[in-house]
């Protein structure tokens, strides 16, 4: 019960509060909005601009079925030489609801799901070495990324 010097007020949920109960609530819930905006308060952290990506380094094992989540660039293989100006990149991904690829640090490009694999139709490949990296998002919102994959386009 409030003492004569403590005037009760309504809290956000409709219950009565007093200065004494406000102090108790502040200890439980942290600093008030006023305390957060004072010059001596630490600034609130801004949300990250890019998702946190976990590097997936486990190699595929042909003797054991993979357990999701997993992500691999199946083709092209590391250091493969490409001979045609178009190539269909194949990605193995488990537990993904989105798969994207970046070629030579380009913006992320969406891949398509067909026949149990994710694919990217790469066309107009320029002569020379290229670096590929793929990432996937799970249904739980986690992001995974592959190690860099190098290939070289040398037309005949």
């Amino acid at each position: 019960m409030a003492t004569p010097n403590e005037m009760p007020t309504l809290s956000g949920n409709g219950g009565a509060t007093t200065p004494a109960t406000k102090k108790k609530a502040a200890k439980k819930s942290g600093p008030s909005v006023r305390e957060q905006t004072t010059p001596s308060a630490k600034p609130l952290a801004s949300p990250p601009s890019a998702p946190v990506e976990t590097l997936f380094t486990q190699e595929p094992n042909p003797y054991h079925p993979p357990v999701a989540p997993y992500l691999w660039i199946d083709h092209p293989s590391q250091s493969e030489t490409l001979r045609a100006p178009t190539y269909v990149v194949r990605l193995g991904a488990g537990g993904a609801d989105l798969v994207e690829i970046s070629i030579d640090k380009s913006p992320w490009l969406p891949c398509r799901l067909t026949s149990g694999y994710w694919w990217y139709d790469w066309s107009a490949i320029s002569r020379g070495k290229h670096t590929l990296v793929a990432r996937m998002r799970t249904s739980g919102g986690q992001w995974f990324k592959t190690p860099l994959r190098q290939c070289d386009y040398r037309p005949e």
Side-chain angles (χ1 to χ4, degrees):
M1 188 74 190
T3 61
N5 292 337
E6 294 178 340
M7 294 295 296
T9 59
L10 291 179
S11 69
N13 64 2
T17 62
T18 64
T21 58
K22 284 182 186 176
K23 284 183 184 178
K24 289 179 187 175
K27 285 182 184 176
K28 289 181 185 175
S29 66
S32 68
V33 173
R34 177 175 285 156
E35 291 167 340
Q36 290 176 359
T37 58
T38 60
S40 64
K42 293 179 182 176
L44 298 174
S46 61
S49 58
V52 175
E53 297 167 333
T54 302
L55 184 63
F56 189 85
T57 57
Q58 179 184 346
E59 293 293 323
N61 183 340
Y63 302 108
H64 298 287
V67 177
Y70 63 89
L71 176 64
W72 296 293
I73 298 176
D74 292 327
H75 299 285
S77 59
Q78 182 66 25
S79 302
E80 183 175 337
T81 300
L82 311 179
R83 299 291 181 191
T86 61
Y87 191 92
V88 181
V89 178
R90 187 177 89 178
L91 304 144
D97 67 352
L98 173 72
V99 175
E100 299 172 315
I101 192 166
S102 175
I103 301 169
D104 298 328
K105 297 183 180 180
S106 70
W108 291 106
L109 305 164
C111 298
R112 59 185 168 83
L113 177 62
T114 303
S115 304
Y117 291 97
W118 291 81
W119 306 84
Y120 178 73
D121 299 314
W122 187 14
S123 60
I125 301 172
S126 61
R127 179 184 296 267
K129 295 185 184 274
H130 298 281
T131 303
L132 287 68
V133 63
R135 71 178 183 177
M136 71 173 230
R137 183 184 66 212
T138 66
S139 58
Q142 292 178 297
W143 287 88
F144 292 90
K145 184 168 130 177
T146 64
L148 299 176
R149 175 66 55 98
Q150 306 289 324
C151 63
D152 190 5
Y153 171 51
R154 287 190 229 151
E156 294 183 336

